[in-house]
Amino acid sequence: MSVPSSSKGNSEQDVAELKKAIATGAVKDNESGSSSALPPIVCYCVASILMTVVNKFVVSGANFSMNFLLLCMQSTVCVACVLAVKKMGVISFRNFDMQDAKAWFPISFLLVSVIYTGSKSLQHLSIPVYTIFKNLTIILIAYGEVIWFGGKVTALTFVSFIFMVVSSVIAAWSDVSSALSGSLPAVSTGVSLSALQTLAGAVRSLHVGYFWMLTNCLTNAAYVLAMRKKIKSIGFSDWDSMFYNNLLSIPVLAVFSIVVENWGSENLSRNFPPETRNFLLTAIAFSGAAAVGISYTTAWCIRVTSSTTYSMVGALNKLPVAASGLIFFGDPVTVGSVSSIGVGFFAGLVYAVAKNNQKKTEAREKADAIIPLTSRKP
């Protein structure tokens, strides 16, 4: 029996749409679902750890002050990598459109604020403290969703929030104690002027670091909530939002770098010393590519496993990310720092379980609300 041409055309169109959806990570690929879930999970963890460590390495230089230039270079590398991967046919996203760009520009500007405040936080705080305090953003986002989107905070979710706050308090206490103990003189008989100046500098650096961390949490929550609202109206996929975010942030970062930062040859030499310049530039390019890696492995992880598994991986991933600061940057290993990492790790697990239970409850409520066909009146 011959197949009508219209049905054949619709079938081909459906296949094309399915392939496009798989490429953008919108649906799960059945074939890839049968493959092992270990590679995407490992790749996601490695990408996120590498990006955090490389960013900390770049911005923690004694004389580094050109954060806007750093972010501009990273965004440029990120856009180049995304376009190259699209050209190879690995991913798919819509072409550049001026109307979409105008609608998405406020979101990109918020993202610039998030990344800039994050880099300034890393400049003054250790990786464990930075990672643990990022948990507070989850609390801000959750209650933002309650206010603007009618979300819910269950009892178990609230318990995880308490553990997140406790871990942040422990981390801050340990951080301040380590900074002060490292600045105070070993002998208490007589305090020199230089010791007082060192102590004042340590306290000032902590104040600046926590200010940037607070600003980062607030801007990050604003970015996520605004993007959630905007992404529904525009209909962006994850790759669309990533492409536009990085592309639109380049001119903003370039203008801020030219206006705010010192482009004198002396300052450029201080930020990029000749003896380490090539290595620094390579690290910056690598961190830009790692951002693409995180986005791709995120989609890969969700596609091969599930969003629940991904949320659990995100919770578990905080432990190696925080530990990387202790390993690579010699952050002090104290009872407080280890305890804060452990409590933060446990808080992430509780939060992932709470969100999983909440999704199951919501799905059950939706299923119960559906009227069976046999019970419907003709």
Side-chain angles (χ1 to χ4, degrees):
M1 186 175 69
S2 63
V3 180
S5 58
S6 60
S7 300
K8 187 177 180 181
N10 290 336
S11 175
E12 291 175 354
Q13 187 178 0
D14 290 342
V15 171
E17 288 296 326
L18 179 61
K19 287 182 178 179
K20 183 180 177 182
I22 291 171
T24 55
V27 297
K28 291 183 183 179
D29 184 1
N30 292 331
E31 291 181 3
S32 51
S34 61
S35 62
S36 174
L38 186 61
I41 291 174
V42 172
C43 289
Y44 169 75
C45 292
V46 170
S48 58
I49 292 171
L50 283 177
M51 181 150 186
T52 304
V53 171
V54 170
N55 279 342
K56 174 66 176 175
F57 168 75
V58 174
V59 301
S60 61
N63 300 308
F64 194 84
S65 60
M66 304 189 74
N67 293 75
F68 284 118
L69 176 61
L70 163 68
L71 300 175
C72 184
M73 293 167 69
Q74 287 178 334
S75 293
T76 304
V77 172
C78 192
V79 170
C81 290
V82 168
L83 289 173
V85 175
K86 180 186 179 182
K87 195 170 182 65
M88 289 187 289
V90 178
I91 62 173
S92 176
F93 55 87
R94 65 178 75 181
N95 294 324
F96 180 80
D97 181 78
M98 186 56 71
Q99 293 301 319
D100 288 340
K102 288 179 181 177
W104 196 258
F105 182 78
I107 307 298
S108 294
F109 190 83
L110 274 174
L111 179 62
V112 170
S113 304
V114 171
I115 300 174
Y116 178 74
T117 53
S119 67
K120 294 297 287 185
S121 304
L122 274 174
Q123 200 166 349
H124 296 279
L125 299 175
S126 64
I127 289 180
V129 173
Y130 171 80
T131 305
I132 291 160
F133 267 85
K134 287 291 282 185
N135 275 342
L136 297 180
T137 306
I138 297 173
I139 302 176
L140 295 174
I141 293 171
Y143 282 102
E145 288 182 340
V146 170
I147 295 169
W148 288 298
F149 299 104
K152 268 189 216 173
V153 175
T154 63
L156 190 58
T157 305
F158 185 73
V159 169
S160 72
F161 291 167
I162 293 174
F163 279 110
M164 288 177 192
V165 173
V166 170
S167 68
S168 300
V169 171
I170 296 173
W173 168 77
S174 175
D175 193 36
V176 172
S177 301
S178 299
L180 294 181
S181 63
S183 304
L184 288 173
V187 182
S188 60
T189 58
V191 180
S192 64
L193 179 61
S194 62
L196 287 174
Q197 289 174 341
T198 304
L199 178 61
V203 173
R204 194 183 306 115
S205 179
L206 284 175
H207 285 168
V208 172
Y210 285 115
F211 165 77
W212 284 117
M213 192 73 249
L214 174 63
T215 309
N216 178 255
C217 290
L218 292 172
T219 53
N220 201 349
Y223 164 70
V224 172
L225 294 170
M227 185 172 70
R228 178 180 171 182
K229 188 173 183 180
K230 185 67 72 174
I231 204 168
K232 289 181 179 178
S233 61
I234 301 179
F236 271 2
S237 69
D238 290 339
W239 288 110
D240 290 326
S241 59
M242 182 183 181
F243 172 67
Y244 275 87
N245 273 335
N246 285 279
L247 183 64
L248 296 178
S249 66
I250 292 172
V252 177
L253 292 166
V255 169
F256 271 98
S257 178
I258 293 169
V259 173
V260 176
E261 295 173 340
N262 182 5
W263 277 74
S265 57
E266 188 178 339
N267 189 54
L268 283 172
S269 297
R270 277 200 303 268
N271 281 271
F272 302 97
E275 59 272 13
T276 59
R277 184 172 299 162
N278 290 336
F279 186 71
L280 272 175
L281 292 175
T282 303
I284 291 170
F286 181 82
S287 63
V292 182
I294 289 175
S295 293
Y296 181 74
T297 52
T298 295
W300 186 16
C301 191
I302 293 174
R303 188 167 63 249
V304 174
T305 57
S306 67
S307 57
T308 305
T309 304
Y310 170 71
S311 65
M312 292 294 288
V313 170
L316 295 170
N317 193 41
K318 282 183 170 44
L319 184 63
V321 170
S324 67
L326 306 176
I327 297 169
F328 295 109
F329 294 97
D331 295 331
V333 181
T334 62
V335 175
S337 64
V338 174
S339 300
S340 64
I341 292 172
V343 174
F345 174 73
F346 180 72
L349 282 178
V350 174
Y351 178 76
V353 172
K355 293 303 287 184
N356 182 33
N357 291 344
Q358 187 175 345
K359 284 180 182 177
K360 285 181 179 178
T361 303
E362 290 173 355
R364 200 179 303 118
E365 288 174 353
K366 286 181 181 178
D368 293 340
I370 298 173
I371 303 173
L373 289 173
T374 54
S375 302
R376 294 182 184 179
K377 293 182 180 180

